[in-house]
Amino acid sequence: MDKLIIEGGKPLKGEVKISGSKNAALPIMAATLLTDEPCVIRNVPRLRDTMTMGKLLISLGKDVDFNNNTAVIKPKGKLGHVAEYEIVATMRGSFCVLGPLLSKLRKAKVSLPGGCVIGIRPVDLHLKGLSALGAKIDIANGFVNARVRQLKGNNIYLGGVSGSSVLATANVMMAATLAKGVTIIESAACEPEIADLAKFLVAMGAKIKGIGSPHLKITGVAKLKGTNYRIIPDRIESGTYMIMAAATRSTITLRQGSFNHLIALVDKLSEVGTKVYQEKGLIKIQPKKIIKPVSMTTHPYPGFPTDLQAQFMALMTLANGVSLIIDKVYPDRFIHISELNRMGAHIRREGLSAIVEGVRNLYGAPVMASDLRASAALIIAGLAAKGRTEIHRIYHLERGYENLDEKLCALGASVWREKTS
Ligand code: UD1
């Protein structure tokens, strides 16, 4: 197993190219199950998660060819309806084959994805939405079994205790594209990745109105066709590099990054003292030496994304004062606190909040990556810290950051991999 070594304290400089969005690519790849025709999907990041989705599609009977960030997904024989535990358990995103399989084959058996280190992560909203379309659903032996004679459009409220659900919206929207009649989804997720999926479905011939809003109107069609589509840039990768620049007080540039999808972060960074602006199609990040403390609460889009909470906390450990961080999407997503504290941060948990007392310096230490975004927070801390940081279990990073080591080295960071003994 590899560990990542970072010699911290070096400012970064230069330009980094942002990859395509992982969280848009996963449901879009799943949506190819809705058609018998070939689909070409461009700007797909080469990540463990997108490869896992490719594997799942192959296991369901598709042919997947991945080359130069382009995935060509074609039918190959008869489509299967069973998504096995071995694949679905490794990645929650694979649960979004449920809606397309049910819609196309009228039956689906998909392993429950289970919980993970960031919280319990139930699937009740996915099942509520599909049941409202007429599916008969039962859960047995760790699998969701869904059947239907004909999906029928309905009015569905998809709000949950923590607001809208990204993948439940994806599942229900995909299922509704081939249902009979009109489906209205209220409290639909407005995340740009859901809007991207909706645009992909429209390019396949689906009829969807209200894209990007919490009110989606889907008029079922008889058939969807193949298409050629380019995925949006990854806003979480873009945001991670923005926060990294702020924490290391480095002026850097993002090429092909997200700006409009990150207004909540750009606004918080301006309070911190870091200017983020667009110029000639590029995104420039210009931090100040002093990092101001800024409190932050995560919310569904367009609020501050939970997937950037850990990274922002890493930045606040170096602020000139105290900040308060609350995660309203995953209230227990604080596993990174103890690892950041190993590096000299002063963070404590009180109820639903993390209270971060900024320190002058972080210091390199051996630390353990626990999930994808917590790992990114440790990278940011390691780059800003004095001395050497060793990050163990970095396979989490390969799930979500394309060519991370190369990109960091190109920015001038001193980063390399070693085998753990
Ligand atoms: C997606 C993202 C993930 C991100 C999350 C929130 C992908 C592949 N993953 O995950 O990176 O952190 O959105 O932006 O796109 N909930 C329920 N019932 C459900 C489903 C969800 O109560 O049936 C709750 C969850 O526990 C959580 C909240 O709703 O508190 C939001 O979760 P959700 O939007 O569903 O996350 P995912 O779609 O799984």
Side-chain angles (χ1 to χ4, degrees):
M1 213 185 281
D2 284 353
K3 60 183 173 185
L4 197 74
I5 318 285
I6 304 176
E7 246 355 300
K10 281 177 93 180
L12 309 175
K13 60 171 187 311
E15 190 177 290
V16 60
K17 178 178 169 288
I18 300 302
S19 300
S21 163
K22 166 179 88 76
N23 286 352
L26 295 176
I28 285 177
M29 289 173 78
T32 63
L33 291 165
L34 290 162
T35 179
D36 297 324
E37 296 179 16
C39 292
V40 178
I41 311 169
R42 289 170 289 120
N43 206 28
V44 179
R46 179 177 279 279
L47 297 167
R48 184 176 300 204
D49 278 11
T50 48
M51 296 303 117
T52 302
M53 181 54 86
K55 236 192 268 172
L56 179 58
L57 294 178
I58 290 169
S59 79
L60 290 168
K62 288 280 186 185
D63 180 60
V64 180
D65 178 50
F66 195 85
N67 218 329
N68 285 333
N69 295 114
T70 296
V72 180
I73 303 176
K74 303 188 272 217
K76 185 183 172 197
K78 200 166 159 258
L79 214 53
H81 74 287
V82 184
E84 294 293 355
Y85 170 80
E86 285 70 21
I87 302 184
V88 181
T90 62
M91 183 185 77
R92 189 179 167 84
S94 44
F95 195 66
C96 64
V97 297
L98 178 62
L101 283 178
L102 179 66
S103 200
K104 189 78 172 67
L105 302 175
R106 300 181 178 191
K107 61 179 176 181
K109 181 177 174 188
V110 178
S111 170
L112 280 166
C116 72
V117 292
I118 67 171
I120 306 170
R121 305 187 83 178
V123 292
D124 56 306
L125 295 172
H126 300 242
L127 306 189
K128 175 186 171 186
L130 296 174
S131 301
L133 295 177
K136 297 273 167 284
I137 298 180
D138 65 81
I139 296 179
N141 309 108
F143 279 83
V144 173
N145 291 293
R147 287 189 168 268
V148 70
R149 200 169 295 152
Q150 166 73 67
L151 287 174
K152 290 204 181 88
N154 202 347
N155 286 5
I156 305 167
Y157 174 72
L158 263 195
V161 280
S162 307
S164 55
S165 161
V166 174
L167 289 178
T169 304
N171 254 330
V172 178
M173 177 167 67
M174 287 191 277
T177 56
L178 294 177
K180 202 169 162 42
V182 176
T183 298
I184 306 280
I185 305 179
E186 294 292 1
S187 198
C190 304
E191 269 68 7
E193 295 77 16
I194 291 298
D196 210 32
L197 168 65
K199 287 179 192 161
F200 177 75
L201 293 167
V202 167
M204 293 172 89
K207 289 195 177 147
I208 306 176
K209 295 269 180 264
I211 294 176
S213 83
H215 175 95
L216 290 174
K217 179 179 175 191
I218 304 133
T219 306
V221 295
K223 210 171 151 218
L224 293 177
K225 58 181 194 297
T227 189
N228 184 319
Y229 192 80
R230 184 178 170 85
I231 285 184
I232 53 169
D234 197 305
R235 68 190 166 106
I236 305 301
E237 189 196 19
S238 304
T240 300
Y241 283 102
M242 288 177 188
I243 297 171
M244 190 184 289
T248 55
R249 284 93 160 172
S250 309
T251 298
I252 66 167
T253 300
L254 309 188
R255 193 153 40 89
Q256 293 178 26
S258 306
F259 183 88
N260 293 338
H261 293 159
L262 278 174
I263 295 306
L265 172 66
V266 170
D267 185 63
K268 283 287 165 200
L269 285 177
S270 82
E271 286 181 48
V272 165
T274 294
K275 190 171 159 195
V276 182
Y277 60 98
Q278 298 187 91
E279 194 178 85
K280 296 185 188 140
L282 300 170
I283 299 167
K284 308 260 179 177
I285 304 131
Q286 254 174 22
K288 289 221 174 86
K289 202 159 173 46
I290 294 191
I291 297 170
K292 290 194 198 148
V294 174
S295 293
M296 177 276 282
T297 301
T298 71
H299 288 286
Y301 190 82
F304 193 101
T306 174
D307 284 350
L308 287 172
Q309 179 258 106
Q311 299 91 314
F312 194 79
M313 189 184 292
L315 172 63
M316 285 301 98
T317 65
L318 292 163
N320 188 19
V322 179
S323 58
L324 196 76
I325 294 181
I326 298 174
D327 199 318
K328 284 265 173 88
V329 181
Y330 292 113
D332 288 323
R333 192 175 202 175
F334 283 136
I335 200 146
H336 40 280
I337 291 180
S338 53
E339 298 306 294
L340 289 170
N341 281 346
R342 286 172 60 76
M343 300 178 70
H346 283 181
I347 313 168
R348 65 178 199 280
R349 191 118 185 234
E350 243 172 58
L352 291 178
S353 321
I355 299 168
V356 189
E357 283 175 58
V359 292
R360 188 180 282 270
N361 286 305
L362 294 174
Y363 295 92
V367 288
M368 191 80 81
S370 55
D371 74 75
L372 172 56
R373 307 305 173 187
S375 315
L378 295 177
I379 300 245
I380 291 171
L383 290 168
K386 283 187 184 295
R388 179 176 290 206
T389 295
E390 283 186 7
I391 307 181
H392 294 254
R393 300 206 184 151
I394 51 159
Y395 53 84
H396 290 292
L397 283 162
E398 287 151 13
R399 290 192 40 218
Y401 290 94
E402 193 178 41
N403 302 331
L404 180 78
D405 314 15
E406 289 87 337
K407 289 186 186 185
L408 291 177
C409 289
L411 287 172
S414 189
V415 174
W416 66 96
R417 277 169 195 249
E418 283 181 11
K419 293 259 171 263
T420 39
S421 42

